[in-house]
């Protein structure tokens, strides 16, 4: 078994024109998560949600049918995972322990995602730090997917602000 501390980590940051409060809510609202968390052309669905420390959520990310390969960790076109809220410090920080629903040992184990929200210049710097990334997830893929999700998050909160 691989020691989680020896596994890969990634860090992505993005300045978003929204307050820490608005961004924190986008991380703790299942309807919002379903919109922005799936990277690229993927779609998301939250199956259950319990917004408290020790609670968490189960979510599926679905690959588009246009994909020529079946990259899913759970099913051919699905990555299903469970996130447990380790720490909720509104509106500054969220720590989640994430496990993929898979039989593939390369994707097993608990990965930690720490989200921080730091007000700056009329917006917020959102930083996502992942540690203990399973060996089956290439760090560069995790970074690219995270950056894509941050772009979708920015569009989501900026569209919500315009309503």
């Amino acid at each position: 078994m691989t020691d989680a501390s020896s596994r890969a980590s990634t860090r992505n940051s993005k300045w978003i024109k929204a307050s820490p409060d608005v961004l924190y809510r986008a991380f703790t609202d299942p309807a919002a998560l379903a919109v922005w968390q799936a990277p690229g052309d993927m779609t998301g669905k939250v199956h259950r949600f319990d917004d408290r420390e020790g609670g968490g959520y189960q979510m599926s990310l679905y690959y588009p049918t246009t994909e020529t390969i079946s990259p899913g960790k759970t099913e051919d076109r699905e990555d299903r995972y469970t996130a447990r809220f380790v720490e909720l410090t509104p509106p500054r920080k969220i720590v989640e322990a994430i496990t993929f629903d898979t039989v593939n040992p390369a994707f097993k184990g608990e990965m930690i995602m720490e989200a921080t929200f730091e007000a700056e210049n009329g917006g917020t710097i959102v930083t996502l730090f992942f540690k203990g990334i399973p060996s089956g997830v290439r760090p560069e893929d995790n970074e690219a997917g995270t950056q894509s999700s941050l772009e979708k998050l920015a569009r989501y909160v900026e569209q919500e602000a315009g309503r």
Side-chain angles (χ1 to χ4, degrees):
M1 176 122 188
T2 304
D3 180 351
S5 65
S6 68
R7 298 189 322 182
S9 64
T10 62
R11 181 183 310 271
N12 293 67
S13 295
K14 178 167 181 57
W15 181 88
I16 298 175
K17 188 176 181 177
S19 71
D21 289 307
V22 166
L23 288 156
Y24 186 92
R25 281 194 304 274
F27 275 74
T28 56
D29 173 3
L33 285 172
V35 172
W36 71 262
Q37 197 162 39
D41 293 332
M42 295 178 80
T43 57
K45 178 180 179 183
V46 176
H47 303 287
R48 63 176 177 75
F49 195 86
D50 181 2
D51 185 15
R52 63 182 172 84
E53 283 187 11
Y57 59 96
Q58 185 179 57
M59 184 169 184
S60 290
L61 305 177
Y62 298 101
Y63 292 87
T65 56
T66 56
E67 289 277 329
T68 57
I69 57 172
S70 298
K73 296 171 190 67
T74 307
E75 298 286 336
D76 283 349
R77 300 205 179 278
E78 178 186 8
D79 289 346
R80 184 180 289 225
Y81 66 92
T82 300
R84 178 176 43 85
F85 290 123
V86 176
E87 179 182 342
L88 293 170
T89 308
R92 301 283 172 232
K93 184 177 180 182
I94 298 170
V95 179
E96 299 177 10
I98 299 167
T99 55
F100 289 107
D101 181 0
T102 184
V103 295
N104 186 333
F107 298 108
K108 291 284 190 181
E110 190 172 80
M111 172 173 67
I112 301 296
M113 182 192 80
E114 181 178 301
T116 57
F117 311 96
E118 184 179 338
E120 183 175 293
N121 297 327
T124 302
I125 296 175
V126 178
T127 299
L128 297 180
F129 174 62
F130 287 88
K131 63 183 176 182
I133 297 171
S135 63
V137 178
R138 296 181 336 150
E140 56 270 29
D141 292 343
N142 190 72
E143 282 183 344
T146 300
Q147 197 60 43
S148 176
S149 292
L150 285 170
E151 295 293 333
K152 285 175 99 172
L153 172 63
R155 285 191 303 275
Y156 174 80
V157 297
E158 290 167 7
Q159 286 172 354
E160 289 296 304
R163 288 183 183 190

